[in-house]
Amino acid sequence: MKTLGFDKAPGDTRIVVAMSGGVDSSVTAALLHEAGYEVIGITLQLYDHGMAVERKGACCAGQDIYDARQVADSLGIPHYVLDYESRFRQSVIDEFADSYLNGETPIPCVRCNQTVKFRDLLQTASDLGADALATGHYVQRKEGDGGAEMHRAVDRSRDQSYFLFATTQEQLDFLRFPLGDLPKSETRALAERFSLPVAEKPDSQDICFVPNGSYARVVEKLRPGSVESGEIVDLDGQVLGQHNGIIHYTVGQRRGLGIGGAEGPLYVVRLEPETHRVVVGPKAALARDLVRVREANWLGPIPSGNEGMPVEVKLRSAQEPVQGRVHLSGTEDKARCEVWLDSPQYGVSPGQAAVFYRGDRVLGGGWIDATELRNVEAARQVA
């Protein structure tokens, strides 16, 4: 574990660890405890405890709260469970449902980090007199000339920086990520060495409040009567079929459309919540090279001038960054910007995030609001 950058001895340093009950956060607590820090474990109950007991394979479920307590007991550190259910509902779940109904593809884990964990929990850690809040995220925090910087994890296959783009500079100053320079295999080995009760526990896969990955079912339950059926149409407006709600579709989707194209496969090109229409077309129709971004958060230099700022931009969590330039939409509004991509990309979906990098460093990011195609000729050549 790299130094955490404190100017006092570990024994005089109090660190709150966000303990989800999984292997990563448990190893984080164990490493800090072994290093001599005063460690306090906190676990969040984020939704109905009765429902949580039935949930498997996701964080913050009833079993996970129990597991976090078992780990804390094995380490001999204090452990507290905080009821953040109402905050989580307002800040994460409600927005998730509304975003799907608006034809977007949201990322609730980002909102959870942005609000409940890195705002509310961070404030709680500060109220407890902690010097830092530590988490089990795979991302690196490095000291730069202008303060703390966020960098991608050493293990690129585990890197979670995309989900942390909304972390503010003030939050990053207070946060610590002890696992950022470790491969997952070493984390597992450490769990065995510490004899943690969760050493062989599988990683969480699902969004914590979405059973079996069924997003549509959750939205229907949260917003009863709001899901309306409609038409599946081609780019010319010709009706090709019917659907049971746009919440079942996302931009770039090919499978599960229930229709076929005479000249090749069809993809979801856009969703129209006002008319309840799903618009489909060939892959070429997905090409986009202009991405409009809202709620931009900056952890590095901010674009200036007409030329914009060269960046590598990640448009989906599983996608590698691509080259582009970021321009502010207005000189006074730093929360809105445009990304001009060097080459067209396909399946860029509103509601996802655009995260900006320079090498391994995270410069910032924001939410994708809309997309366009500027260079039609380039898109034809790629297609």
Side-chain angles (χ1 to χ4, degrees):
M1 183 180 70
K2 292 182 178 179
T3 177
L4 298 184
F6 297 110
D7 57 3
K8 54 183 178 180
D12 299 324
T13 306
R14 176 178 294 174
I15 300 181
V16 166
V17 177
M19 298 182 68
S20 68
V23 174
D24 297 330
S25 61
S26 298
V27 169
T28 296
L31 282 171
L32 294 172
H33 178 65
E34 182 184 58
Y37 292 100
E38 180 189 352
V39 177
I40 299 174
I42 291 184
T43 301
L44 304 181
Q45 179 184 320
L46 298 181
Y47 49 92
D48 180 73
H49 196 67
M51 184 181 83
V53 172
E54 300 176 0
R55 292 284 294 110
K56 295 181 179 180
C59 71
C60 308
Q63 180 63 43
D64 297 314
I65 294 174
Y66 173 80
D67 289 343
R69 180 176 288 117
Q70 291 291 100
V71 170
D73 289 345
S74 73
L75 297 174
I77 63 173
H79 176 255
Y80 304 97
V81 178
L82 303 182
D83 183 359
Y84 277 21
E85 183 179 340
S86 62
R87 306 184 197 194
F88 186 67
R89 173 70 183 246
Q90 294 170 7
S91 300
V92 181
I93 297 182
D94 285 343
E95 182 178 293
F96 168 85
D98 293 338
S99 183
Y100 259 110
L101 290 172
N102 288 333
E104 298 184 335
T105 306
I107 318 173
C109 296
V110 174
R111 283 298 191 200
C112 185
N113 290 327
Q114 182 182 16
T115 57
V116 176
K117 290 181 181 177
F118 287 178
R119 184 188 67 196
D120 298 338
L121 179 55
L122 190 144
Q123 183 59 53
T124 298
S126 180
D127 292 342
L128 288 172
D131 296 282
L133 171 67
T135 78
H137 287 104
Y138 285 87
V139 64
Q140 295 187 89
R141 177 190 181 278
K142 297 182 178 182
E143 289 295 337
D145 294 337
E149 299 176 355
M150 183 182 294
H151 289 250
R152 298 178 73 179
V154 170
D155 185 347
R156 290 294 185 88
S157 68
R158 304 295 302 181
D159 175 56
Q160 293 174 293
S161 60
Y162 180 85
F163 299 98
L164 301 180
F165 79 85
T167 306
T168 67
Q169 186 63 56
E170 182 180 10
Q171 291 167 347
L172 187 58
D173 289 340
F174 193 72
L175 287 161
R176 298 296 187 275
F177 308 104
L179 304 186
D181 61 333
L182 300 180
K184 180 69 177 190
S185 57
E186 187 169 341
T187 302
R188 286 282 181 187
L190 285 167
E192 293 284 353
R193 179 167 73 79
F194 288 123
S195 299
L196 298 180
V198 297
E200 297 184 5
K201 186 175 182 178
D203 293 338
S204 60
Q205 300 295 328
D206 298 331
I207 295 172
C208 63
F209 59 90
V210 180
N212 304 317
S214 180
Y215 308 129
R217 188 177 304 172
V218 171
V219 176
E220 290 170 341
K221 182 178 180 180
L222 292 170
R223 299 289 186 269
S226 61
V227 179
E228 298 188 32
S229 58
E231 299 171 334
I232 301 176
V233 302
D234 64 16
L235 297 173
D236 297 321
Q238 180 179 348
V239 178
L240 303 178
Q242 301 291 319
H243 67 78
N244 294 322
I246 63 172
I247 62 172
H248 297 278
Y249 302 88
T250 185
V251 172
Q253 178 178 334
R254 175 184 172 186
R255 299 181 183 278
L257 300 183
I259 55 176
E263 299 181 0
L266 295 174
Y267 300 78
V268 175
V269 175
R270 66 177 180 274
L271 302 173
E272 298 181 349
E274 300 85 1
T275 60
H276 309 293
R277 296 200 307 179
V278 175
V279 182
V280 299
K283 183 177 180 180
L286 287 170
R288 298 291 186 271
D289 58 9
L290 172 61
V291 180
R292 302 188 190 279
V293 175
R294 68 177 186 269
E295 298 180 55
N297 176 64
W298 301 101
L299 289 172
I302 299 175
S304 61
N306 295 329
E307 296 300 316
M309 181 172 70
V311 297
E312 298 96 51
V313 56
K314 199 170 189 180
L315 300 167
R316 282 186 181 272
S317 62
Q319 178 198 56
E320 283 300 310
V322 295
Q323 299 292 323
R325 302 186 78 86
V326 180
H327 302 253
L328 291 182
S329 300
T331 55
E332 299 301 323
D333 187 3
K334 295 180 174 56
R336 285 191 170 273
C337 61
E338 295 180 351
V339 185
W340 297 5
L341 302 173
D342 288 2
S343 59
Q345 300 298 310
Y346 298 81
V348 183
S349 177
Q352 294 285 292
V355 182
F356 316 132
Y357 297 84
R358 182 169 295 160
D360 284 338
R361 184 181 177 187
V362 180
L363 302 182
W367 297 101
I368 298 174
D369 201 31
T371 62
E372 296 179 18
L373 178 62
R374 295 166 57 243
N375 191 338
V376 177
E377 184 57 35
R380 287 201 187 105
Q381 293 175 3
V382 172

